[in-house]
């Protein structure tokens, strides 16, 4: 198993596009956003009044959740390359099982996604002194959300025949939920029901709200309730993946 | 027998990919699986490799019953895919090492086998390069090498020379002979009859999901060839020359048109040499040739179609 995990980790972690999209870009965007935040706060004359370390942490968290969500493509990228091409015959002709390849890929992409999140926070903690009251709870929220994203990525792989279509679907899902949750251009009023869905009920809204509760309110209980709801999404997604995988073996 | 397939049936919807296929593979041979695209060759070898289930029939490999994910059998088997299926983002050495590892090799054994295969496929000097920098022929060789690292007892090669230049093709064909000489049984599928004629010790011709003929090249050709047609240009044609040729045992007819002689003789009668001797005594020969039947003729006779008809995948 370690051989196949190392194999997938190497291919994911050394791919130039992955390094750009999941390491350099989110770190740069979060740093730029916090720099903009500094200017805005200074212009408003609010420096010294607002706890900036909390504000920095909030900005970092929003970027972190968004890029963790883009981690959908991390899991399916190599699955498409390896198992929706002739290479699958070569891999399946080996004594290693299909489950071993998929599990190894999932472990590797989860690790890369978590490292991406950790680096975003670390960069902002070092540069801006971004502060989170409970790192373990913070880490748990990101971990559970990342697991959900990886299972969701697997589902996209099972349901969508072509990688290009899956990538388009990923962009549609991530951008729409992030924008409609109000995390990009401010709150958008879509009516009570849709406001609830996009600001409270989507997995990324739950993750963002859990982090806000942790950072702003220092309310671990509420943060864990939100995390629990993400956990329900994890279980539901896992069940759906199991059902789809049985009906549509690839 | 290293592998047997008995009465295999495999359907894809209404299409019968394998139609009660029977095929045996003898240990140590290079078995050529010849047939046009869509004949069922790829389905047959995927079934043999335990990659796809069959609807009915029995497959035995190394004396064990084959089924999906039979790890014991897979460990001793190698598969060379028709497409290039190496990892373009890993070097040649890393590719070989990975395929060795997933077949259970490790440590010094792994490294020595990787070195052996790099040398065998002529890529030692390119071991650190990634396949995307390779020529088509080099990629094909690495593609084959990845199936050899674990020293399989049975190597299945699915049209391994598709789309490459003649020089690389010859290199690969020579490699296949060497692989067999080292004790590996090879199943070689192709729709190029020249390839099976060049390397295979036995040939099975497939069409519409069945083996329609099998045997050595000579046996297959012998089935349809009862006559040789000898064409000769005599320098000094004469009635005496014609009469003397007609008198040879096994000669069925002699047609003369000016200097051109067309002689029909029993197959493998050895009359070509006799005719040459006589013609030399009667003034010499401008040119002489004997038309022999080929596998293409065998296939045409058996199916009424050409081997290269249709280009759909099997």
């Amino acid at each position: 198993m370690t051989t196949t995990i190392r194999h997938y980790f190497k291919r994911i972690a050394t791919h130039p596009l992955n390094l750009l999209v999941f390491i350099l870009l989110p770190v740069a965007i979060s740093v730029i956003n916090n720099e903009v935040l500094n200017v805005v706060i200074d212009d408003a004359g609010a420096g010294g009044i607002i706890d900036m370390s909390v504000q920095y942490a909030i900005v970092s968290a929003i970027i972190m959740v968004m890029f963790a969500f883009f981690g959908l493509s991390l899991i399916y990228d190599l699955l498409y390359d390896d198992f929706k091409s002739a290479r699958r015959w070569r891999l399946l002709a080996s004594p290693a099982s299909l489950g071993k390849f998929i599990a190894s890929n999932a472990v590797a992409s989860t690790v890369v996604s978590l490292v991406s999140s950790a680096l975003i926070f670390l960069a902002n903690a070092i540069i801006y002194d971004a502060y989170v009251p409970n790192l373990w709870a913070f880490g748990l929220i990101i971990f559970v959300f990342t697991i959900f994203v990886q299972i969701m990525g697997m589902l996209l792989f099972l349901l969508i025949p072509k990688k290009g279509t899956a990538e388009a679907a990923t962009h549609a899902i991530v951008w729409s939920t992030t924008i409609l949750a109000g995390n990009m251009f401010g709150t958008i009023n879509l009516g009570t029901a849709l406001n609830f869905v996009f600001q409270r009920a989507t997995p990324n809204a739950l993750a963002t709200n859990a982090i806000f509760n942790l950072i702003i309110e220092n309310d671990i209980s509420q943060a864990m309730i939100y995390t629990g709801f993400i956990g329900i999404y994890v279980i539901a997604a896992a069940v759906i993946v199991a059902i789809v995988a049985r009906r549509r073996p690839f | 027998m290293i592998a047997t397939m008995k009465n295999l049936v495999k359907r894809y919807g209404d299409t019968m990919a394998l139609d009660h296929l029977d095929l045996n593979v003898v240990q140590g041979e290079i078995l050529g699986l010849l047939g046009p695209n869509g004949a069922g060759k790829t389905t047959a070898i995927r079934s043999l490799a335990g990659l796809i289930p069959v609807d009915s029939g029995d497959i035995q490999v190394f004396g064990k019953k084959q089924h999906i994910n039979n790890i014991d059998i897979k460990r001793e088997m190698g598969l060379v895919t028709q497409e290039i299926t190496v990892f373009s983002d890993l070097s040649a050495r890393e590719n070989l090492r990975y395929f060795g590892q997933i077949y259970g090799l490790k440590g010094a054994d792994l490294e020595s086998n990787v070195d052996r295969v790099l040398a065998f496929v002529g890529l030692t000097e390119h071991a650190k390069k990634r396949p995307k920098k390779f020529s088509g022929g080099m990629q094909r060789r690495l593609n084959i090498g990845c199936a050899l690292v674990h020293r399989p007892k049975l190597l299945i090669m699915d049209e391994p020379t598709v789309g490459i230049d003649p020089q690389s093709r010859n290199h690969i064909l020579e490699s296949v002979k060497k692989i067999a000489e080292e004790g590996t049984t090879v199943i070689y599928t192709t729709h190029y009859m020249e390839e099976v004629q060049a390397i295979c010790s036995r040939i099975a011709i497939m069409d519409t999901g069945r083996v329609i003929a099998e045997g050595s090249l000579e046996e297959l050709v012998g089935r349809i060839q009862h006559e040789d047609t000898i064409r000769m240009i005599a320098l000094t044609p004469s009635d005496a020359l014609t009469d003397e040729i007609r008198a040879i045992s096994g000669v069925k007819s002699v047609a003369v048109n000016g200097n051109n002689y067309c002689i029909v003789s029993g197959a493998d009668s050895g009359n070509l040499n006799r005719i040459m001797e006589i013609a030399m005594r009667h003034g010499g020969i401008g040119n002489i040739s004997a038309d022999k039947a080929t596998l293409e003729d065998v296939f045409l006779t058996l199916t009424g179609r050409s081997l290269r008809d249709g280009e759909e995948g099997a």
Side-chain angles (χ1 to χ4, degrees):
Chain A
M1 186 84 169
T2 51
T3 297
T4 43
I5 291 175
R6 266 190 282 125
H7 168 80
Y8 281 108
F9 185 77
K10 180 171 184 180
R11 286 170 70 197
I12 294 171
T14 59
H15 194 292
L17 202 63
N18 286 343
L19 288 173
L20 178 71
V21 173
F22 293 101
I23 307 292
L24 291 177
L25 202 60
V27 169
I29 289 174
S30 64
V31 168
I32 290 166
N33 269 279
N34 276 333
E35 208 52 52
V36 171
L37 183 67
N38 276 338
V39 174
V40 170
I41 297 292
D42 284 347
D43 287 352
I49 302 168
I50 294 172
D51 184 351
M52 288 304 289
S53 63
V54 168
Q55 299 304 317
Y56 294 138
I58 289 170
V59 169
S60 312
I62 290 171
I63 305 287
M64 199 186 295
V65 169
M66 188 172 148
F67 277 89
F69 211 1
F70 272 120
L72 281 170
S73 67
L74 274 178
I75 186 164
Y76 66 59
D77 186 36
L78 293 185
L79 287 180
Y80 276 104
D81 288 355
D82 287 0
F83 292 101
K84 288 206 171 156
S85 70
R87 188 179 287 149
R88 74 170 166 160
W89 300 115
R90 163 152 262 164
L91 293 173
L92 296 180
S94 78
S97 66
L98 175 63
K100 187 173 176 177
F101 290 118
I102 289 174
S104 301
N105 181 45
V107 169
S109 63
T110 303
V111 169
V112 171
S113 187
L114 289 172
V115 167
S116 163
S117 298
L119 286 177
I120 295 168
F121 185 74
L122 201 64
N124 286 282
I126 292 168
I127 300 169
Y128 297 109
D129 201 22
Y131 172 71
V132 171
N134 189 322
L135 265 180
W136 287 109
F138 184 62
L140 182 67
I141 295 164
I142 292 295
F143 179 75
V144 175
F145 180 66
T146 302
I147 296 294
F148 164 75
V149 170
Q150 297 299 309
I151 297 171
M152 183 79 183
M154 184 74 199
L155 188 60
L156 290 181
F157 167 72
L158 289 170
L159 292 175
I160 300 174
K162 289 187 177 173
K163 186 156 95 171
T165 315
E167 285 167 347
T170 299
H171 280 281
I173 292 167
V174 176
W175 288 114
S176 64
T177 52
T178 305
I179 290 169
L180 294 176
N183 289 334
M184 189 149 270
F185 306 116
T187 309
I188 301 166
N189 192 357
L190 300 165
T192 313
L194 287 177
N195 279 347
F196 175 78
V197 170
F198 287 107
Q199 293 168 20
R200 296 279 167 188
T202 62
N204 47 339
L206 286 166
T208 310
N209 289 333
I211 293 169
F212 285 179
N213 268 275
L214 192 67
I215 297 173
I216 302 169
E217 312 288 341
N218 199 9
D219 186 348
I220 294 180
S221 308
Q222 190 60 40
M224 288 303 107
I225 289 170
Y226 282 128
T227 310
F229 280 116
I230 304 171
I232 292 171
Y233 270 109
V234 169
I235 293 164
V239 170
I240 293 169
V241 163
I243 292 168
V244 174
R246 277 196 181 178
R247 291 192 177 174
R248 300 179 58 168
F250 52 91
Chain B
M1 295 295 164
I2 199 164
T4 57
M5 290 185 265
K6 276 186 194 162
N7 210 19
L8 293 193
V9 174
K10 174 73 182 174
R11 288 185 185 85
Y12 292 109
D14 293 336
T15 308
M16 195 92 149
L18 299 180
D19 183 6
H20 302 90
L21 174 82
D22 288 312
L23 184 65
N24 295 325
V25 186
V26 180
Q27 186 149 11
E29 73 175 348
I30 303 177
L31 172 66
L33 210 50
L34 182 70
N37 289 324
K41 305 185 298 290
T42 300
T43 305
I45 60 169
R46 282 180 186 164
S47 306
L48 181 66
L51 295 172
I52 53 172
V54 287
D55 298 330
S56 64
D58 182 60
I59 305 171
Q60 298 273 333
V61 185
F62 311 130
K64 296 169 191 162
K65 189 173 172 59
Q66 176 63 298
H67 53 78
I68 295 286
N69 297 328
N70 189 331
I71 289 171
D72 290 341
I73 292 176
K74 285 183 175 182
R75 247 183 249 286
E76 308 287 351
M77 205 184 256
L79 175 69
V80 178
T81 49
Q82 189 178 130
E83 299 84 355
I84 306 284
T85 50
V86 298
F87 299 102
S88 58
D89 42 1
L90 301 181
S91 70
R93 178 176 288 279
E94 287 169 333
N95 266 287
L96 294 171
R97 197 180 277 152
Y98 179 62
F99 281 106
Q101 284 172 327
I102 59 175
Y103 278 86
L105 299 184
K106 51 179 93 165
D109 188 26
L110 172 67
E111 293 306 324
S112 68
N113 275 297
V114 167
D115 289 337
R116 172 184 62 82
V117 172
L118 278 170
F120 182 76
V121 295
L123 292 174
T124 304
E125 288 175 14
H126 305 281
K128 289 180 182 172
K129 290 184 192 162
R130 293 182 177 190
K132 55 188 164 193
K133 291 183 179 171
F134 287 177
S135 67
M138 289 162 79
Q139 288 183 358
R140 284 274 163 202
R141 271 141 58 193
L142 180 61
N143 202 40
I144 292 170
C146 287
L148 296 174
V149 193
H150 62 291
R151 289 183 181 273
K153 285 183 189 165
L154 175 60
L155 179 67
I156 300 171
M157 307 182 86
D158 188 10
E159 311 216 17
T161 59
V162 169
I164 58 166
D165 58 279
Q167 198 180 350
S168 296
R169 171 172 293 169
N170 289 339
H171 186 283
I172 288 171
L173 295 180
E174 286 306 312
S175 302
V176 176
K177 282 190 202 169
K178 279 186 203 161
I179 291 165
E181 281 164 13
E182 288 172 9
T184 300
T185 306
V186 180
I187 300 175
Y188 190 97
T189 82
T190 183
H191 59 268
Y192 296 119
M193 61 167 185
E194 315 86 61
E195 295 189 352
V196 290
Q197 286 185 163
I199 63 169
C200 296
S201 45
R202 200 162 61 88
I203 300 157
I205 299 178
M206 278 190 78
D207 191 37
T208 59
R210 288 175 298 137
V211 171
I212 54 172
E214 61 178 299
S216 67
L217 175 63
E218 294 73 23
E219 286 169 349
L220 288 172
V221 169
R223 282 191 198 185
I224 65 154
Q225 175 132 332
H226 308 295
E227 294 172 345
D228 285 338
T229 302
I230 298 165
R231 295 177 202 282
M232 178 178 75
I233 298 173
L235 293 179
T236 51
S238 65
D239 290 343
L241 171 61
T242 308
D243 290 343
E244 208 168 326
I245 292 171
R246 272 205 185 105
I248 299 171
S249 169
V251 169
K252 295 177 179 173
S253 67
V254 181
V256 184
N257 184 7
N259 286 31
N260 294 309
Y261 280 69
C262 181
I263 305 142
V264 176
S265 169
D268 298 324
S269 58
N271 281 343
L272 179 65
N273 288 336
R274 289 186 197 105
I275 291 166
M276 282 171 70
E277 283 168 22
I278 294 166
M280 291 304 286
R281 279 193 278 111
H282 286 266
I285 301 167
N287 189 21
I288 189 164
S289 65
D291 297 339
K292 282 275 184 187
T294 65
L295 276 176
E296 182 77 44
D297 300 319
V298 175
F299 191 81
L300 199 62
T301 306
L302 292 171
T303 67
R305 292 191 293 122
S306 162
L307 261 172
R308 308 268 166 88
D309 281 352
E311 288 298 323
E312 294 300 312

